[in-house]
Amino acid sequence: MSPRVFREIMEACAPHLQWRVTFYKEPLQPDQIVVYALYGWASGETYESSTCNFGIDRASCLVVVRDVTAALLRVYKEKIAWPTGVRKLVVLRAFADKGFLNCHGWIDCTHIYADKPVNAPSENNYDRKRRFSIVSQVVVDLDFRVVDVHMGYPGSCHDIKVVQLSSLWQRAESGSLFLGPPVTPPFGVRTNDYILADNGYPRSEWMTVPYGGVNQHVDEERFDNKQKVARGAVERVFGRLKGMWRLFLRTHKTNLDTLLQQFTVVCILHKIPSLIDVGIPFDENLLWEVESDANGV
């Protein structure tokens, strides 16, 4: 993260942190508080190993992260939103160039792993690999921007159940989310607004999944191959998120009450100031580590 981007974040959050400063054992400046939280998310170090480097005791570090998380959500809460105006047209054009007319994004889930807290419910939070986790559902576009986040369900929860319990499902089913006119390409089929998903999701009017199966018709196989290519966008978003904000790459000690908000914050930081809009370079080699970790290697 460049100094200019950090200053912008710090200046935006400072008014929401000033009144908290005097509650710590030693007065801490807003820039010291913000940099500690960002360092923890980016380095993957927990409060047990990083507090001494910032002059913050272990008792205060949890409050620092909580305060910075709340401040970032308050300042940038409107950044995770479905695109409108010119940006919406750019998204639709990008998917159309890939062969998906009227497509608004790709939906998928990822697991956020954590050490099981002593008093936390256990069985439901274990995924199929017997790892304690929380499920996060995101929708992204082809420019790796996160447009919707929904999380908080235990690791054993299936993708279908997560989406059906989300506000995305409610808005789409009620007809209040996708309001654009249908498109009918030459010699094609009338196409309403929709998002792409894998076979773990139900097929619906606004959610398109691959045909799958064996002995496919050539058109079905062509469609599935195109969708497989488009899926790379959401996989790379997960890779970039966990590669840059390494606290969420592996299991770590955390407060489950704020874990959900912290992951939402890094989705905001990924979308707005850190990777895309200001062109901060990303080391693609980090994606290999994310992929290895996901496969349990």
Side-chain angles (χ1 to χ4, degrees):
M1 181 178 292
S2 68
R4 179 178 65 85
V5 173
F6 170 74
R7 286 195 298 270
E8 291 176 359
I9 295 175
M10 189 273 294
E11 291 171 0
C13 294
H16 304 284
L17 296 172
Q18 290 283 1
W19 70 282
R20 290 283 191 180
V21 171
T22 57
F23 284 88
Y24 301 113
K25 293 182 179 179
E26 296 182 5
L28 302 175
Q29 297 302 314
D31 58 345
Q32 187 180 7
I33 296 174
V34 173
V35 76
Y36 170 75
L38 294 177
Y39 175 82
W41 293 328
S43 68
E45 293 187 23
T46 63
Y47 66 91
E48 295 179 318
S49 57
S50 62
T51 52
C52 60
N53 297 328
F54 293 86
I56 304 175
D57 60 67
R58 292 177 60 180
S60 299
C61 67
L62 296 177
V63 182
V64 167
V65 173
R66 183 196 67 193
D67 289 353
V68 173
T69 299
L72 287 167
L73 289 175
R74 190 176 298 115
V75 172
Y76 296 110
K77 61 182 179 179
E78 78 285 354
K79 298 302 182 181
I80 300 294
W82 288 88
T84 58
V86 175
R87 180 60 201 166
K88 178 180 178 180
L89 297 177
V90 170
V91 172
L92 291 174
R93 178 62 182 270
F95 277 104
D97 290 342
K98 295 292 184 179
F100 300 101
L101 294 176
N102 257 15
C103 180
H104 289 254
W106 185 288
I107 185 173
D108 204 353
C109 286
T110 187
H111 288 255
I112 309 301
Y113 297 103
D115 289 340
K116 177 186 174 298
V118 176
N119 297 323
S122 57
E123 192 62 30
N124 290 338
N125 280 89
Y126 286 102
D127 63 9
R128 59 186 177 85
K129 296 181 180 179
R130 303 303 300 167
R131 300 176 66 183
F132 190 90
S133 66
I134 303 295
V135 179
S136 175
Q137 173 188 282
V138 302
V139 180
V140 305
D141 61 26
L142 292 179
D143 291 330
F144 310 139
R145 298 173 187 265
V146 178
V147 301
D148 187 80
V149 180
H150 180 73
M151 61 184 302
Y153 296 96
S156 62
C157 196
H158 194 275
D159 293 355
I160 293 179
K161 184 175 182 181
V162 174
V163 70
Q164 289 177 341
L165 294 174
S166 67
S167 60
L168 170 67
W169 179 276
Q170 298 173 3
R171 294 171 62 193
E173 289 292 312
S174 66
S176 62
L177 180 59
F178 301 119
L179 303 175
V183 174
T184 305
F187 308 105
V189 178
R190 176 186 173 99
T191 304
N192 296 311
D193 293 335
Y194 63 95
I195 58 177
L196 296 171
D198 59 30
N199 284 319
Y201 289 89
R203 184 179 286 106
S204 68
E205 292 184 359
W206 57 272
M207 190 180 301
T208 301
V209 303
Y211 289 98
V214 295
N215 299 324
Q216 289 182 310
H217 186 274
V218 62
D219 291 337
E220 296 176 350
E221 184 178 3
R222 185 183 299 114
F223 178 87
D224 285 2
N225 287 335
K226 285 186 175 182
Q227 189 160 350
K228 185 183 298 183
V229 173
R231 178 184 172 83
V234 71
E235 297 294 348
R236 292 176 71 83
V237 166
F238 291 149
R240 286 174 174 246
L241 274 173
K242 294 184 178 182
M244 184 169 184
W245 306 106
R246 303 174 68 81
L247 185 67
F248 305 94
L249 179 58
R250 299 185 183 88
T251 301
H252 63 283
K253 290 184 179 180
T254 186
N255 183 346
L256 292 183
D257 293 336
T258 61
L259 177 63
L260 313 184
Q261 290 81 7
Q262 290 181 57
F263 187 75
T264 302
V265 163
V266 300
C267 288
I268 293 173
L269 294 174
H270 166 79
K271 180 182 179 183
I272 300 302
S274 59
L275 286 176
I276 300 174
D277 287 352
V278 295
I280 299 299
F282 177 79
D283 184 0
E284 298 290 340
N285 291 324
L286 294 175
L287 295 176
W288 289 97
E289 185 173 357
V290 176
E291 181 179 357
S292 297
D293 182 75
N295 292 329
V297 178

